[in-house]
Amino acid sequence: MANLVAIVGRPNVGKSTLFNRLTKSRQAIVSDEAGTTRDRQYGKCEWSGREFSVVDTGGWVVNSDDIFEEEIRKQVIIATEEADLVLFLVDVINGLTDWDEDVAQILRRTKLPVILVANKTDNNNQQYYAAEFYKLGLGDPYCISAATGSGTGDLLDEVLKRLKKDTGEILEEGIPRFAVVGRPNAGKSSIINAFIGEDRNIVTEIAGTTRDSIYTRYDKFGFDFYLVDTAGIRRKNKVTEDLEFYSVMRSIRAIENSDVCILMLDATRGIEAQDMNIFQLIQKNNKSLVVVVNKWDLVEDKTQKVIDTFEDAIRKRMAPFTDFPIIFASALTKQRIYKVLETAKDVYLHRTAKIGTTKLNETMLPLIEAYPPPSIKGKYIKIKYCSQVPNTQIPSFVFYANLPQYVKEPYKRFLENKIRENWNLSGTPVNIFIRQK
């Protein structure tokens, strides 16, 4: 199980800058205006040979003054329930605020490891200002500057020390792991119950009654698989959920620990922004995908035209990745439930597909010759040979060219599409690499 680290703190203490520093990305929007982080903040950090996931909670704050602080309090509570460790960011320039004390009070009540991080410590003198944060009762503040990177190495050493060692579940190799994901109330628990015929997941009308990833192995209807099941009962007395943030936090673990994600959409609501957030998490983690349009029994007009329109809408939203199966099902009436399992198993086999080098070259080289990469600055790009890379998580292909740096994204997409036209890789992502021959 990958560890999950959440960054919390009030607006403008540098959460996004630290997130970018840890994940070595520029994907967070960084600006001096409070509440600018809108982009879905999730990435991976690698340090000393270990990897963990990082979530910047700031990305889910609704920018409105009256509910601003209340929203952030909710994020903090959800983060403490879902993460393995919390980085609590404070700012030495603005010093201690009532709001920091409020958050510290929430954090002191949790059993989670919390590391207090005093950001914007840009010179040695400023380290003395960090002393006031001892008042929060969360131990020694780690003085860092997220902007320059100073102190972040020591901070990461401490993070690794406090994170539980990744014990890894003892799972049998070669058995597919399916995760059922989707926004609250899309019918995840109902479909799992329909698969396994037991009501071990509590199904209620209250969105968000599920917690914790558990693997359960099933051998049903001739399918042998693990269900990465985010099961368990949620404590009802908790904060009224910020459902969007909550469902993303929930999904991260299930997605990271699976091979194939079964993404549940609600037929009565169509595809919404939150479904897209979860789809992006699946893509970011290179997982295979089966889309299930659930509650199909509630749709009155079930003509082929309606089905086609629905499918087109889904593929348009998820483009450029459009080669995945879509199944219209109902967990309640068990309509096409076994089709979902069957398709998930096929998609898993596509994920592990091996294509012979001779066959690959025989098929692809004539296509490349007919449509070569466009020449750039008068230079002609020649691709002479290709092969599948062995032992990769998803099907990955390498094409050897004389000028690999000039082969752009659209042409890589062309190569991927041609591979998909000739071999069935439905539902699984594909990597295309261009290398110097």
Side-chain angles (χ1 to χ4, degrees):
M1 293 282 273
N3 288 121
L4 189 57
V5 171
I7 304 174
V8 305
R10 61 188 165 76
N12 250 10
V13 289
K15 296 190 291 295
S16 296
T17 312
L18 180 61
F19 174 84
N20 289 344
R21 171 79 48 194
L22 297 184
T23 56
K24 297 190 179 69
S25 74
R26 303 283 311 143
Q27 68 190 62
I29 308 159
V30 181
S31 133
D32 286 342
E33 220 169 289
T36 44
T37 308
R38 279 290 165 282
D39 142 351
R40 297 301 164 239
Q41 299 302 48
Y42 157 79
K44 297 248 195 297
C45 172
E46 201 179 309
W47 185 253
S48 299
R50 276 178 72 187
E51 192 181 62
F52 55 88
S53 301
V54 186
V55 173
D56 166 10
T57 57
W60 283 272
V61 171
V62 179
N63 195 7
S64 141
D65 295 336
D66 50 340
I67 56 166
F68 206 31
E69 301 201 342
E70 189 43 45
E71 281 294 321
I72 303 170
R73 278 192 74 240
K74 282 191 209 169
Q75 314 296 12
V76 172
I77 292 174
I78 294 170
T80 58
E81 292 189 354
E82 305 300 344
D84 297 304
L85 179 141
V86 172
L87 295 177
F88 176 29
L89 228 59
V90 289
D91 163 358
V92 293
I93 292 173
N94 288 325
L96 187 61
T97 66
D98 295 349
W99 199 86
D100 293 327
E101 293 188 19
D102 197 25
V103 173
Q105 202 175 355
I106 299 170
L107 294 176
R108 281 198 305 270
R109 285 192 216 118
T110 70
K111 296 183 177 66
L112 267 191
V114 176
I115 299 177
L116 181 61
V117 183
N119 189 26
K120 306 188 186 175
T121 317
D122 296 324
N123 59 44
N124 288 344
N125 292 340
Q126 285 172 325
Q127 292 197 3
Y128 302 120
Y129 300 147
E132 67 173 323
F133 294 111
Y134 278 104
K135 195 174 167 189
L136 297 174
L138 291 168
D140 298 336
Y142 272 74
C143 293
I144 69 155
S145 166
T148 64
S150 129
T152 49
D154 291 345
L155 172 65
L156 282 167
D157 288 341
E158 184 62 23
V159 167
L160 292 191
K161 232 187 276 173
R162 304 245 204 131
L163 279 177
K164 288 193 194 86
K165 265 278 192 292
D166 192 356
T167 49
E169 318 262 333
I170 315 297
L171 297 181
E172 215 173 292
E173 285 299 305
I175 293 177
R177 288 184 267 176
F178 301 153
V180 179
V181 293
R183 59 183 156 70
N185 263 5
K188 298 186 292 291
S189 296
S190 310
I191 203 165
I192 291 170
N193 293 341
F195 285 159
I196 60 187
E198 307 156 27
D199 284 349
R200 56 160 289 204
N201 282 353
I202 292 173
V203 181
T204 62
E205 273 307 300
I206 305 161
T209 43
T210 321
R211 179 175 162 73
D212 268 347
S213 283
I214 306 161
Y215 291 106
T216 322
R217 186 169 174 179
Y218 295 102
D219 194 346
K220 290 219 158 193
F221 332 109
F223 299 113
D224 190 2
F225 61 96
Y226 285 108
L227 217 44
V228 186
D229 179 359
T230 42
I233 309 155
R234 200 152 176 77
R235 286 163 300 199
K236 295 286 185 298
N237 57 355
K238 281 292 175 226
V239 64
T240 39
E241 298 302 359
D242 173 336
L243 285 179
E244 185 172 353
F245 178 58
Y246 162 69
S247 70
V248 172
M249 285 288 278
R250 262 303 1 91
S251 303
I252 287 173
R253 282 181 194 250
I255 290 168
E256 285 183 343
N257 296 305
S258 68
D259 298 309
V260 179
C261 294
I262 297 169
L263 174 60
M264 305 287 290
L265 302 181
D266 183 333
T268 60
R269 293 175 63 172
I271 184 163
E272 298 183 340
Q274 209 170 330
D275 300 314
M276 289 306 297
N277 290 334
I278 294 171
F279 170 69
Q280 277 149 10
L281 287 175
I282 294 169
Q283 276 211 305
K284 225 175 208 178
N285 280 287
N286 273 335
K287 300 303 180 186
S288 300
L289 172 70
V290 175
V291 170
V292 175
V293 181
N294 187 31
K295 307 188 185 175
W296 193 237
D297 54 313
L298 301 179
V299 175
E300 279 167 20
D301 183 2
K302 296 187 177 69
T303 55
Q304 193 56 44
K305 193 177 174 199
V306 170
I307 291 175
D308 293 345
T309 311
F310 219 119
E311 282 200 13
D312 283 350
I314 293 171
R315 292 192 204 281
K316 268 201 189 96
R317 288 292 297 274
M318 296 186 178
F321 180 45
T322 55
D323 185 13
F324 52 83
I326 299 175
I327 297 167
F328 293 85
S330 162
L332 197 67
T333 64
K334 300 201 175 175
Q335 178 190 14
R336 296 198 196 90
I337 280 305
Y338 306 131
K339 177 93 176 129
V340 174
L341 281 181
E342 208 170 15
T343 309
K345 191 176 181 187
D346 289 345
V347 165
Y348 174 74
L349 294 174
H350 301 161
R351 190 180 175 80
T352 51
K354 301 279 177 283
I355 298 169
T357 306
T358 316
K359 194 89 192 96
L360 191 65
N361 282 278
E362 276 171 7
T363 309
M364 294 301 291
L365 293 184
L367 290 168
I368 291 167
E369 213 163 304
Y371 296 97
S375 61
I376 289 186
K377 299 176 189 165
K379 293 188 166 70
Y380 290 97
I381 303 157
K382 291 186 177 64
I383 295 174
K384 289 289 185 213
Y385 177 75
C386 55
S387 69
Q388 185 173 359
V389 185
N391 307 325
T392 49
Q393 246 201 338
I394 58 172
S396 303
F397 301 91
V398 62
F399 290 80
Y400 293 94
N402 56 342
L403 298 163
Q405 68 275 27
Y406 291 140
V407 180
K408 297 288 181 262
E409 214 43 59
Y411 195 75
K412 286 187 188 174
R413 209 167 292 144
F414 163 77
L415 294 173
E416 180 185 327
N417 290 340
K418 290 299 166 199
I419 290 174
R420 289 185 185 278
E421 277 170 30
N422 287 281
W423 289 276
N424 187 352
L425 296 173
S426 171
T428 201
V430 165
N431 279 333
I432 302 287
F433 301 109
I434 313 287
R435 296 269 183 272
Q436 187 77 42
K437 69 174 182 196

